[in-house]
Amino acid sequence: MKIVTSVEALRDQLRGQLRTAFVPTMGNLHEGHLSLMRLAARHGDPVVASIFVNRLQFGPNEDFDKYPRTFEDDCEKLSKEGVYVLFAPDEHELYPEPQEYRVSPPSDLGDILEGEFRPGFFVGVTTVVLKLFSCVQPRAAVFGKKDYQQLMIVRNMCRQFALPTEIVAAETVRAADGLALSSRNGFLSARERSEAGSLFAELLAIQAEVRGGARDLAGLEAASRARLAARGWIPDYIAIRRRVDLKPVGAQDLARGEPLLVLAAARLGSTRLIDNLEI
């Protein structure tokens, strides 16, 4: 595996490559990330990964400085997966001057759910993704469904800017108790980790209720938040939405069988976890 730290060196390595598959990451890699690399290999060649902790998507009270940096271990894992190039720029390389030009998703998608509780988050995500795409120029890029709203926003951005990059969605990888794999899981204490599977259990319960004919969606959401709170969680949202645009579900949507999903974000101790499940 070749490790490059400059845009110029990256372009030298990829010159003439027309089928590059790309997986952007912030490092601290786990099995979920590695599954993205394997999926990327099925959609292009060579596979390029990036590691860059993007300051633009962290809020003022979020964990940019605490975000785990495990570069040597990450490199070993990526090499074993057959990744061809790892692009690992520092901040000055990717942002050599203040990033005054930014990509702003439409408010009806970018300012709801995660965007409501993390203002500016998706501006930071789309800006760095567009910049990384400019550097790598991939034919395909892989994003996980765990970050469902992010996946949708990136896919819409590519369509509206006519980018020649196919966005490939990867299924969420879970632990035995259902907890979605995430770099932030490492912040959980042993007690919190034993409780963390409850978030996915709530999503499964809502999925079963809706598939069973329940139609009081607001009541299901409220009951789920209350159960989590009783177990010591601080929920930000439990929301049943239309898959196509993440808009609230209306009676007509239910009548015609509109595909739905339930999304959740909640804090357990000092760790904020997110998850979702298609219904």
Side-chain angles (χ1 to χ4, degrees):
M1 183 179 72
K2 299 175 175 64
I3 302 172
V4 297
T5 58
S6 72
V7 176
E8 181 180 4
L10 175 70
R11 288 174 173 163
D12 283 344
Q13 286 292 335
L14 297 179
R15 188 165 287 115
Q17 299 285 359
L18 301 178
R19 298 187 61 253
T20 300
F22 178 45
V23 184
T25 83
M26 293 204 300
N28 192 31
L29 304 182
H30 50 67
E31 179 58 30
H33 293 110
L34 302 182
S35 73
L36 304 185
M37 307 300 161
R38 296 170 201 138
L39 182 58
R42 290 161 40 194
H43 286 267
D45 179 49
V47 174
V48 177
S50 66
I51 292 177
F52 180 71
V53 184
N54 179 40
R55 189 184 297 271
L56 294 186
Q57 68 195 67
F58 285 80
N61 298 315
E62 294 184 334
D63 53 0
F64 175 80
D65 291 325
K66 291 198 308 177
Y67 194 88
R69 274 82 165 171
T70 54
F71 188 73
E72 291 185 5
D73 186 51
D74 293 343
C75 289
E76 183 178 345
K77 291 176 179 177
L78 292 174
S79 182
K80 288 180 179 178
E81 292 298 333
V83 170
Y84 174 62
V85 172
L86 169 62
F87 180 42
D90 62 18
E91 283 194 280
H92 184 265
E93 178 65 25
L94 207 58
Y95 300 128
E97 58 186 274
Q99 189 66 38
E100 295 169 341
Y101 287 82
R102 301 194 183 193
V103 181
S104 296
S107 60
D108 62 348
L109 182 57
D111 293 344
I112 62 172
L113 302 169
E114 283 298 283
E116 177 183 350
F117 287 90
R118 302 182 66 187
F121 171 68
F122 287 120
V123 172
V125 169
T126 50
T127 298
V128 77
V129 168
L130 184 60
K131 196 156 194 176
L132 289 169
F133 281 5
S134 177
C135 297
V136 178
Q137 299 185 16
R139 190 198 71 81
V142 181
F143 290 79
K145 281 188 178 182
K146 183 182 80 70
D147 301 288
Y148 201 101
Q149 189 175 5
Q150 172 179 279
L151 168 67
M152 180 174 290
I153 286 173
V154 169
R155 181 172 276 158
N156 291 354
M157 178 187 75
C158 287
R159 185 184 68 249
Q160 291 205 1
F161 280 114
L163 300 181
T165 301
E166 175 192 2
I167 302 302
V168 178
E171 296 297 331
T172 301
V173 178
R174 301 184 180 279
D177 63 351
L179 177 65
L181 299 191
S182 168
S183 296
R184 289 187 169 88
N185 292 354
F187 295 135
L188 296 168
S189 69
R191 185 197 64 78
E192 291 164 350
R193 178 59 190 86
S194 67
E195 167 61 27
S198 298
L199 186 63
F200 184 57
E202 286 298 327
L203 302 185
L204 285 172
I206 288 176
Q207 180 192 64
E209 289 279 2
V210 175
R211 286 182 174 178
R215 291 297 178 259
D216 180 11
L217 304 189
L220 293 178
E221 295 167 348
S224 182
R225 290 194 301 270
R227 286 192 296 268
L228 285 174
R231 298 177 69 93
W233 295 71
I234 303 175
D236 282 347
Y237 59 82
I238 305 282
I240 304 167
R241 297 295 174 94
R242 296 168 17 142
R243 281 189 222 171
V244 66
D245 53 15
L246 300 188
K247 292 188 183 300
V249 182
Q252 290 184 336
D253 297 319
L254 292 171
R256 65 170 175 261
E258 178 75 30
L260 309 177
L261 78 159
V262 54
L263 308 99
R267 194 172 300 277
L268 185 59
S270 62
T271 305
R272 186 175 185 272
L273 302 177
I274 68 169
D275 203 350
N276 65 80
L277 185 64
E278 294 177 342
I279 296 176

